[in-house]
Amino acid sequence: MSGKKRHGGKGDNGGKKSKQLVRAELSEELGEKNGREELRRGWESGETVQCGTVVLDSVPFQHCVIRSFIKNEEFLDGLKDELLALNFHDKSNDLYKFQQSEDLKSRKEPHISALRKVLFEDFRQWLSEVTKVELETTVDISCAQYNYTDTLLCHDDELEGRRFAFILYLVPEWTEADGGALDLYSTDEKSQPGPIVKSLIPSWNTLVFFEVSPISFHQVSEVLSEEKCRLSVSGWFHGSSLERPPRSLDPVPVRTPHLPCDHEILYEWINPDYLSVDYQAQIQEEFEDTSEILLKDFLKEDKFNAVSAALKTESIEWELLGPPNRRCYKRAKSELPDVLKSCMELLKSEPFFLLLSNLTGLKLHFLAANNEDSDEEEGSSELNARAPAQGENGDHTAQEGSERVPVCYGELRHWEHGHYTMIHDYDPERQEFALDLLWFCGCEDWEAEYGGFTSYIAKEEDEELLTVNPENNCLALVYRDKETMRFVKHINHKSVQRDAILPNHKGFWDFAFVYNE
């Protein structure tokens, strides 16, 4: 239903007359010359300045909060009605989950058109005067709805041409307990985000803008209200971008060859079904067709129970990994309880490397069959691309004479509410072929709607190639090429209800390993 039809009252002569009657005006305080000059000086000096309903601050980066942004309240009611009548599309990937409208630049509804005019003309001029930045006439603008468990994780908004970001809130009465705050992050000496130092709670008819820069890291925290909708109009004003320092790189993980070990370790730990030569051949055939497989009940029941008990009852030291624009989860550090240490050693052992070779057809052990003929295919964006020819994998792989030595690295991870990983351009794993291994524990009653699943996607694509859901005592094997990326989806507030009924733990655990031929 169009805005013209909805808001045309009795006696209107069609949509044109209705459109002419709709006009948006900025708050009178934005028109005061003295206030503009004081704000300009504050912006230039980086000082905190308040002029009536306008508050400008430079901590942790330059931003401004303008309350009562639009003068006439009746206009906002009509604008909200028009926005809610738009078609919204679900948006979900590693970075966000929310609903977004189509581009508002071409919408003809009278209130949306009037808002666009006041933003693109009056406010753009005011913003340029205060910041002394010449702004282009191009402005990006759209509408977003954040409902229960929706979020936008830590990012800096930087994209060529973006100079200022803005958000106009059209929310009901909102409190900190509702979530959905605009969180601003501090940054370290490498321009990487650290702790959240400021949270701006949405409020009706409030506009926030900030300068897009190498340190403008922010997020929309998860919406925790099941009844309220966080409705906003947002976008970017364009101008010359600020200079960016070199990006901080993740260190390349330390990879090691297998640990020498007697083959009896497999019979001690692993379900005998998976040690059958015939069954291994069957699994390998399936894996070579799909490049992924899920092996249920992988460990013997007594070993699985022992690992589960240790994770739930033993004292384990965990470290929270960041930075938040790339990851947020806990990793076990220092000495592990004996049974967990033994499990890690199993996954690093020489017999296990050979078992993986037999299950996948990859050459992870010198006794494995040589599959170089099939390995020479070029990488693609599909999961079923095969491994590279010898020597293509980069300098990080251990060498022994002219032969490449298979290597691995792994970690024990704890996942709970608020945890995630994200895809980023400078991930060292993005440039390699690898076999991923995930083995899960503590996943009883875990639902896919909580998040925490691992998604594989093709480079530059949002469509999922594969999703691996956490499942107790399941071993997931996934072979990925240079065009395949992965992330762990943000674990949302719905998981808290499940955690409340479990006596011994929150979230779940996984042993995560990467093997290279």
Side-chain angles (χ1 to χ4, degrees):
M1 184 179 292
S2 74
K4 295 177 184 178
K5 190 172 182 180
R6 287 176 61 120
H7 298 282
K10 292 183 179 180
D12 286 348
N13 294 323
K16 289 187 176 180
K17 183 175 180 182
S18 175
K19 183 176 179 180
Q20 291 170 353
L21 295 175
V22 175
R23 183 164 178 256
E25 296 181 67
L26 297 180
S27 165
E28 291 181 352
E29 291 189 1
L30 295 182
E32 294 179 358
K33 184 175 181 181
N34 291 340
R36 274 202 313 273
E37 185 59 28
E38 186 176 353
L39 290 166
R40 187 196 64 75
R41 289 195 295 269
W43 184 272
E44 186 176 29
S45 64
E47 298 175 352
T48 300
V49 174
Q50 180 168 0
C51 294
T53 59
V54 183
V55 179
L56 187 151
D57 197 359
S58 61
V59 178
F61 49 84
Q62 288 197 303
H63 64 279
C64 184
V65 179
I66 307 173
R67 302 192 182 276
S68 301
F69 178 70
I70 296 294
K71 180 179 178 181
N72 37 336
E73 283 288 327
E74 289 184 3
F75 170 83
L76 292 172
D77 292 332
L79 174 64
K80 183 177 180 180
D81 287 344
E82 287 182 2
L83 292 172
L84 290 176
L86 298 173
N87 291 322
F88 284 81
H89 305 282
D90 290 334
K91 305 283 287 185
S92 182
N93 60 16
D94 60 317
L95 178 61
Y96 50 69
K97 183 175 83 75
F98 64 96
Q99 298 78 48
Q100 186 176 47
S101 75
E102 56 204 277
D103 196 322
L104 298 184
K105 282 191 287 190
S106 59
R107 300 299 304 186
K108 303 300 183 184
E109 289 85 350
H111 293 79
I112 294 174
S113 298
L115 176 68
R116 194 167 57 233
K117 178 178 174 62
V118 79
L119 285 171
F120 290 15
E121 297 177 9
D122 300 347
F123 184 65
R124 183 170 61 86
Q125 180 181 347
W126 181 93
L127 181 59
S128 187
E129 289 179 10
V130 167
T131 63
K132 292 300 179 184
V133 174
E134 185 176 346
L135 298 174
E136 301 170 5
T137 56
T138 302
V139 182
D140 297 322
I141 183 170
S142 64
C143 179
Q145 291 188 75
Y146 288 77
N147 295 295
Y148 180 52
T149 73
D150 287 346
T151 188
L152 172 60
L153 300 175
C154 179
H155 64 293
D156 61 12
D157 261 13
E158 280 218 313
L159 196 64
E160 187 65 34
R162 290 179 180 175
R163 190 58 190 268
F164 293 98
F166 70 89
I167 312 100
L168 173 62
Y169 297 109
L170 298 169
V171 296
E173 185 175 342
W174 205 272
T175 68
E176 183 179 356
D178 295 321
L182 179 63
D183 293 330
L184 310 183
Y185 290 81
S186 63
T187 48
D188 60 19
E189 66 281 356
K190 296 180 180 179
S191 298
Q192 288 299 293
I196 295 168
V197 296
K198 193 170 189 178
S199 293
L200 304 175
I201 308 301
S203 63
W204 176 262
N205 195 17
T206 293
L207 183 136
V208 176
F209 75 85
F210 59 85
E211 187 170 39
V212 176
S213 74
I215 63 168
S216 57
F217 287 100
H218 60 284
Q219 73 166 6
V220 176
S221 67
E222 183 182 0
V223 173
L224 304 179
S225 171
E226 297 188 50
E227 294 80 30
K228 299 177 184 179
C229 171
R230 184 188 186 275
L231 183 69
S232 64
V233 176
S234 59
W236 296 272
F237 291 94
H238 289 253
S240 56
S241 301
L242 297 177
E243 185 177 352
R244 171 179 273 288
R247 292 276 190 177
S248 176
L249 302 180
D250 281 344
V252 176
V254 177
R255 294 160 178 161
T256 58
H258 59 64
L259 299 176
C261 187
D262 190 275
H263 70 278
E264 289 296 325
I265 192 173
L266 299 183
Y267 296 96
E268 178 185 352
W269 277 84
I270 293 172
N271 183 335
D273 290 346
Y274 296 113
L275 302 181
S276 161
V277 174
D278 290 340
Y279 195 30
Q280 289 177 8
Q282 181 182 332
I283 292 171
Q284 182 181 137
E285 183 178 357
E286 182 178 340
F287 185 86
E288 289 179 337
D289 285 340
T290 63
S291 286
E292 53 92 7
I293 199 162
L294 188 67
L295 305 178
K296 300 194 175 190
D297 300 321
F298 186 73
L299 294 190
K300 286 184 172 181
E301 186 176 359
D302 62 326
K303 289 298 185 181
F304 170 71
N305 290 336
V307 170
S308 297
L311 288 168
K312 294 174 183 178
T313 61
E314 295 280 357
S315 177
I316 302 170
E317 187 178 0
W318 300 93
E319 58 179 338
L320 185 66
L321 297 187
N325 62 325
R326 298 180 184 178
R327 62 189 66 82
C328 177
Y329 66 88
K330 291 178 181 177
R331 178 176 66 187
K333 58 183 297 188
S334 68
E335 280 297 309
L336 291 173
D338 288 344
V339 67
L340 302 182
K341 183 179 179 182
S342 296
C343 189
M344 293 288 283
E345 290 174 350
L346 165 72
L347 300 175
K348 297 177 183 178
S349 70
E350 179 179 5
F352 195 78
F353 270 62
L354 180 56
L355 175 64
L356 288 178
S357 296
N358 293 339
L359 294 173
T360 65
L362 299 173
K363 192 167 179 59
L364 294 170
H365 193 278
F366 71 92
L367 292 178
N370 194 332
N371 290 332
E372 280 192 26
D373 291 341
S374 61
D375 290 348
E376 292 174 357
E377 297 179 20
E378 293 184 4
S380 71
S381 61
E382 297 300 320
L383 280 172
N384 63 359
R386 298 300 302 145
Q390 297 292 325
E392 290 180 8
N393 214 22
D395 295 335
H396 64 266
T397 306
Q399 302 288 329
E400 188 176 279
S402 60
E403 292 292 322
R404 292 161 50 82
V405 176
V407 293
C408 76
Y409 75 94
E411 55 190 13
L412 170 57
R413 308 185 296 188
H414 186 196
W415 298 94
E416 56 187 17
H417 177 222
H419 289 177
Y420 58 86
T421 66
M422 284 194 280
I423 293 167
H424 62 94
D425 292 337
Y426 302 93
D427 184 349
E429 291 189 357
R430 290 275 297 270
Q431 305 303 320
E432 63 188 11
F433 293 77
L435 175 69
D436 293 337
L437 176 150
L438 295 170
W439 181 79
F440 300 100
C441 193
C443 308
E444 51 269 23
D445 299 322
W446 191 266
E447 301 289 344
E449 65 177 4
Y450 301 158
F453 50 82
T454 301
S455 286
Y456 287 82
I457 63 173
K459 186 177 180 181
E460 311 299 338
E461 300 288 343
D462 285 335
E463 183 180 355
E464 291 182 346
L465 301 172
L466 172 69
T467 299
V468 179
N469 289 299
E471 187 176 343
N472 268 347
N473 199 13
C474 281
L475 185 82
L477 298 175
V478 180
Y479 186 79
R480 56 182 162 83
D481 64 14
K482 297 181 180 181
E483 301 296 314
T484 304
M485 302 171 292
R486 60 177 179 162
F487 66 90
V488 177
K489 185 64 176 176
H490 174 263
I491 298 177
N492 63 53
H493 191 258
K494 292 179 182 178
S495 67
V496 174
Q497 300 171 1
R498 175 258 189 186
D499 290 342
I501 63 175
L502 295 177
N504 296 325
H505 73 279
K506 295 180 179 179
F508 65 89
W509 298 269
D510 66 19
F511 289 77
F513 273 71
V514 177
Y515 299 84
N516 301 98
E517 292 180 289

